[in-house]
Amino acid sequence: MRTFYSFTVILGLSFFVFSFSKFESTNTTYTKTSNNTIVYHNDSDDVNEISNDFFKRYSDLKKYKSDVMSLYKNRTLGTIWFDENEISEFGSALYEKAKKTNDLVIPYQKEIDQLFSSSSDKSTLSQTDADMLLSSLYVVYAKKSNSDKKKLSYNDMLKDFLNYSTLEEQETTVAATNEKVEFDQYYKLQDALKKYKRLEKSSKYKPIVPAESPYKELRPDAVSSTIAQVRTRLYLLGDLKTDSKSDVYDRELMDAVMKYKVRNGFKPNYILAEEHINEMNIPLEDKVATLKLNMERCRAIAAQIAASDEYVLVNVPSYEMIYVKNGKVQLTSPVFVGAPLTKTTIFNGEIDRIVFSPYWTVPQSIVQNELKSKIAADPNYLAEKNMEMVNGQVRQKPGPDNSLGLVKFMFPNPDDIYMHDTPSKTLFDFEKRTFSHGCINVKMAKELAVAMLKDYPEWTKEKIDKAMEGKVESSFKLSKKVPIYITYFTSLVNENGEIGFFQDVYENDKQITETAVVAQ
């Protein structure tokens, strides 16, 4: 999500937040050391020496001077965004997220870009100037991401950056600030967190030890001590109402296994494979950490969700799209997303157009890496694939076999990501659905188009059917843009109140956890 803080940035900044003091009105001297970094001292008459020099040379930032310098008050650690003489990973994360935030104008972008350039055109800025430019970028980014607030409060902002270590701290902070998170998923996850913290204290929650090694898949009617352990586990998790202690894989356990699999995004069948046992054996402390992390993600997106009476939410880890209108889910559909090497970008946007029977202009990277050799080997390749060359670009004509299917949903963004139909419906049968070059493939794309066009009387079902015949491309511009949130929630609570934990497909959670450990 490009318009709210990446949790990587949040956790990274928390490393620095602990060295910030409350923003009191004290006098401060700013001096440079031999390696050109800044050291700060209290009780001086010359509080503005370095700041005046910086903001004189970077005059477009003068309006942010007070906010920028408040970050440095009472600091004794020198720069904020550098680790020794290199920009820290947190500075890099801030830069990447700021670049991909919609409509964010980066001040002195040329100078900031050079800080991260891998070419010979490296920046010659002093560390002081570089650090203050990044702090200015942080202020601009923070103001943009918190545009719903009348005034930016750094005390409140920094509280949001902290990964609270206990549920009690979290509840205390929310109560103390009278904060209400306008995204009910936050409170559903909070309830799940309470449950899992209770389970942590339960002596009944023990690792499942398979009866056989190597592990053999368990199917209905199997008899095994592993079955009895799974039964107890699903009882503790709430998928079973009672625990009979039976070691027979009976009808009762089949229903519980199906419930467990569906809520956790596994393929809906009765097979108990080793991966399912491994998931059940993930330590509860890890589950608790996952719930906390996703509560923070909810806090980050809450303001945007609350302001949207209609929106599309695509959650990458659960491979699912939901369409919400007037507070009610109108449609849920499976999706498949970008492969690890061509990840789907996590950001917010606005759907402004629906395109029926679309052409697909093949990206040059695909042409170079995948099609060029095939075209050279077979002169008829383009014709056989219903493709053509137009102005030096390869495009696929409309039709049922078009890679974009029969409809696509456009939302302008720098990564050229969009949602679309697909002729490859069998791919939705897979459990792990990371197949695309970054775009979002929707199984129920036609149903989504019908649902989104209900407020447009001219778009009857018959007109939509005709537009999706795959003969001629047609585009309809929505009079009211529909927000879309491409998210990365690895735990969510469904409408039935059931908690789901999903695969960390892009290892975002893993990176955050490792960053948090380093920060401690």
Side-chain angles (χ1 to χ4, degrees):
M1 299 176 191
R2 297 302 181 193
T3 58
F4 71 88
Y5 295 108
S6 157
F7 206 69
T8 303
V9 176
I10 290 171
L11 283 176
L13 286 171
S14 68
F15 174 79
F16 299 111
V17 165
F18 291 114
S19 62
F20 291 169
S21 67
K22 292 183 179 179
F23 304 134
E24 301 168 342
S25 56
T26 57
N27 292 327
T28 308
T29 292
Y30 306 86
T31 58
K32 293 184 181 180
T33 64
S34 57
N35 68 345
N36 218 23
T37 60
I38 311 172
V39 177
Y40 310 91
H41 311 280
N42 290 327
D43 303 321
S44 169
D45 294 329
D46 194 6
V47 65
N48 293 317
E49 182 181 347
I50 287 181
S51 61
N52 281 346
D53 177 56
F54 175 85
F55 290 105
K56 181 178 180 180
R57 288 182 288 112
Y58 298 93
S59 57
D60 290 349
L61 299 174
K62 280 185 178 180
K63 57 185 174 181
Y64 305 116
K65 179 179 177 180
S66 176
D67 289 322
V68 170
M69 298 316 297
S70 70
L71 294 176
Y72 293 99
K73 284 188 178 179
N74 298 328
R75 277 185 63 86
T76 57
L77 298 181
T79 54
I80 293 177
W81 306 101
F82 281 77
D83 183 5
E84 295 184 349
N85 292 320
E86 298 292 333
I87 295 177
S88 70
E89 62 185 303
F90 310 127
S92 298
L94 171 64
Y95 173 67
E96 289 299 323
K97 297 306 177 184
K99 276 201 311 179
K100 294 180 180 179
T101 297
N102 290 339
D103 302 321
L104 179 69
V105 177
I106 297 178
Y108 295 96
Q109 181 162 357
K110 180 180 178 181
E111 287 82 353
I112 292 177
D113 285 345
Q114 286 181 352
L115 293 174
F116 298 90
S117 174
S118 57
S119 69
S120 58
D121 188 22
K122 293 291 286 184
S123 174
T124 57
L125 290 176
S126 69
Q127 204 173 98
T128 299
D129 280 1
D131 199 72
M132 293 182 74
L133 276 174
L134 289 177
S135 291
S136 301
L137 174 61
Y138 162 67
V139 168
V140 173
Y141 178 65
K143 286 180 179 290
K144 173 71 175 178
S145 300
N146 288 266
S147 57
D148 59 302
K149 296 185 178 180
K150 293 181 180 178
K151 184 178 179 182
L152 181 65
S153 165
Y154 276 95
N155 279 336
D156 291 338
M157 285 289 297
L158 296 180
K159 285 177 184 175
D160 287 342
F161 286 164
L162 298 178
N163 183 24
Y164 299 103
S165 59
T166 67
L167 174 63
E168 291 74 24
E169 286 179 7
Q170 215 168 109
E171 291 174 334
T172 299
T173 300
V174 171
T177 59
N178 294 317
E179 176 186 7
K180 177 170 173 50
V181 181
E182 298 289 348
F183 184 28
D184 64 354
Q185 187 62 220
Y186 174 90
Y187 297 103
K188 291 178 180 179
L189 288 172
Q190 189 177 67
D191 288 341
L193 179 59
K194 293 176 182 177
K195 173 183 176 179
Y196 274 78
K197 287 177 75 68
R198 287 195 298 268
L199 280 176
E200 270 191 299
K201 302 174 182 177
S202 171
S203 60
K204 296 180 180 180
Y205 201 95
K206 301 174 181 177
I208 296 172
V209 181
E212 296 179 306
S213 183
Y215 180 87
K216 292 183 180 179
E217 289 184 347
L218 296 169
R219 298 170 183 265
D221 297 327
V223 179
S224 170
S225 63
T226 308
I227 294 295
Q229 296 176 75
V230 169
R231 188 184 299 275
T232 298
R233 176 57 49 80
L234 296 184
Y235 165 69
L236 292 173
L237 293 177
D239 297 304
L240 265 174
K241 292 184 178 179
T242 59
D243 182 5
S244 67
K245 310 294 185 183
S246 172
D247 60 1
V248 179
Y249 194 166
D250 55 16
R251 178 77 250 179
E252 183 182 43
L253 186 60
M254 288 169 63
D255 291 342
V257 167
M258 182 63 74
K259 185 177 179 181
Y260 164 82
K261 284 195 165 188
V262 170
R263 69 180 173 85
N264 286 294
F266 289 111
K267 193 170 183 178
N269 58 36
Y270 299 117
I271 299 172
L272 278 172
E274 187 172 18
E275 65 177 309
H276 306 127
I277 303 299
N278 290 341
E279 201 283 334
M280 291 180 191
N281 277 338
I282 292 175
L284 280 172
E285 62 182 291
D286 292 351
K287 297 282 190 180
V288 166
T290 297
L291 288 167
K292 289 180 183 178
L293 188 157
N294 286 281
M295 285 174 69
E296 286 296 330
R297 287 175 170 144
C298 287
R299 285 158 63 89
I301 197 177
Q304 293 96 321
I305 289 285
S308 306
D309 60 353
E310 178 184 18
Y311 62 88
V312 171
L313 189 148
V314 176
N315 189 46
V316 170
S318 59
Y319 309 110
E320 187 175 64
M321 180 280 304
I322 64 170
Y323 171 55
V324 176
K325 189 168 183 179
N326 299 324
K328 294 183 180 180
V329 175
Q330 305 293 319
L331 179 69
T332 301
S333 173
V335 301
F336 64 81
V337 297
L341 291 178
T342 53
K343 298 176 183 178
T344 296
T345 310
I346 308 302
F347 74 110
N348 296 355
E350 289 184 315
I351 300 173
D352 62 357
R353 283 179 296 140
I354 299 178
V355 181
F356 296 101
S357 300
Y359 282 95
W360 177 45
T361 300
V362 185
Q364 281 302 112
S365 59
I366 298 178
V367 173
Q368 290 295 324
N369 298 329
E370 301 175 29
L371 298 187
K372 194 173 181 179
S373 59
K374 296 176 181 178
I375 295 172
D378 181 3
N380 297 318
Y381 180 84
L382 291 180
E384 291 170 356
K385 298 297 181 182
N386 199 33
M387 293 180 174
E388 60 185 0
M389 185 76 74
V390 178
N391 297 325
Q393 290 187 306
V394 177
R395 71 176 187 177
Q396 191 176 30
K397 300 176 184 178
D401 295 327
N402 185 287
S403 294
L404 304 185
L406 296 172
V407 62
K408 67 177 179 179
F409 305 83
M410 303 299 291
F411 36 97
N413 62 87
D415 296 309
D416 199 24
I417 301 294
Y418 47 91
M419 286 195 309
H420 60 82
D421 184 27
T422 177
S424 304
K425 301 297 185 185
T426 56
L427 293 179
F428 293 106
D429 296 332
F430 286 81
E431 198 166 83
K432 185 175 181 179
R433 298 194 292 273
T434 52
F435 303 116
S436 81
H437 287 82
C439 286
I440 300 154
N441 293 244
V442 184
K443 183 177 183 179
M444 300 174 67
K446 179 179 179 179
E447 291 84 348
L448 177 60
V450 170
M452 290 181 66
L453 291 173
K454 279 187 177 179
D455 289 342
Y456 299 86
E458 69 272 28
W459 281 97
T460 62
K461 186 177 183 299
E462 291 72 24
K463 183 175 180 177
I464 292 174
D465 287 341
K466 184 172 180 60
M468 292 180 67
E469 286 180 349
K471 296 178 180 178
V472 180
E473 180 181 88
S474 61
S475 179
F476 177 67
K477 186 175 181 179
L478 300 174
S479 60
K480 179 185 177 183
K481 297 177 182 179
V482 177
I484 178 169
Y485 305 100
I486 304 175
T487 64
Y488 197 90
F489 288 105
T490 47
S491 61
L492 284 174
V493 179
N494 65 24
E495 291 185 295
N496 299 320
E498 300 164 341
I499 181 66
F501 292 91
F502 312 112
Q503 293 181 19
D504 185 15
V505 290
Y506 295 156
E507 296 192 340
N508 288 8
D509 285 14
K510 179 181 177 182
Q511 293 172 20
I512 290 167
T513 302
E514 290 174 350
T515 302
V517 171
V518 171
Q520 291 173 357

